[in-house]
Amino acid sequence: MAPKLDLLPRYAEGVLRILDEQVPEAEVWAFGSRVVGGAHEGSDLDLVLRNPGDLTAPLSGLGALIEALSQSTIPILVEVHDWARLPDSFHEEIEKKSLLFRVPVKPAA
C-alpha cells in the first residue's frame, strides 16, 4: 500500500502555493509521522527538498521559503530540509518511508 499524507487539503494547498512561489525548481518529498502514521492535529510536516538535476547541489531560496512558511496562516509547523545538506544515513531513512509531495514547476537553472 502506498503511503498517504495525513494533512488537511487546505493546509497542503497552502504549503504547495508557497513552495511554488519560493522554490519552483525543487522536487519536494514528505516524510515523518504525517506519512508513516501516528500524526496528530499538531504534528509538524516534514519536507525534504531536492535539486532534481543534481541531488548533491544545495538549493537556493531556503531561507526565504522558511520565512514565508513561518509568516503564513498555515497552523502547523513545516520543517524544511535540503537533501544535499543531509547525511547519507538520513537519505536512507527518508527513502524508506516518504512520498513525493510536489514535482518541480520549472526546471532548475
Side-chain angles (χ1 to χ4, degrees):
M1 184 164 114
K4 181 177 181 272
L5 186 63
D6 184 4
L7 185 65
L8 291 174
R10 68 178 180 266
Y11 300 161
E13 290 165 8
V15 172
L16 287 167
R17 186 173 46 257
I18 293 169
L19 289 166
D20 289 350
E21 292 168 0
Q22 299 297 324
V23 287
E25 72 285 359
E27 177 182 89
V28 183
W29 291 79
F31 65 100
S33 65
R34 289 195 178 267
V35 174
V36 299
H40 53 80
E41 187 177 312
S43 292
D44 65 349
L45 172 61
D46 295 299
L47 300 177
V48 64
L49 283 65
R50 302 183 350 166
N51 180 339
D54 181 358
L55 296 180
T56 64
L59 288 161
S60 61
L62 255 59
L65 171 62
I66 292 167
E67 179 67 19
L69 288 166
S70 71
Q71 297 297 317
S72 75
T73 58
I74 300 165
I76 60 166
L77 177 64
V78 181
E79 290 285 337
V80 178
H81 306 276
D82 187 335
W83 181 265
R85 293 187 167 117
L86 294 174
D88 289 342
S89 60
F90 206 48
H91 292 173
E92 294 168 12
E93 288 302 310
I94 292 171
E95 288 174 331
K96 286 179 189 175
K97 297 205 176 165
S98 62
L99 63 84
L100 183 60
F101 185 63
R102 195 205 66 182
V103 296
V105 293
K106 76 172 195 179

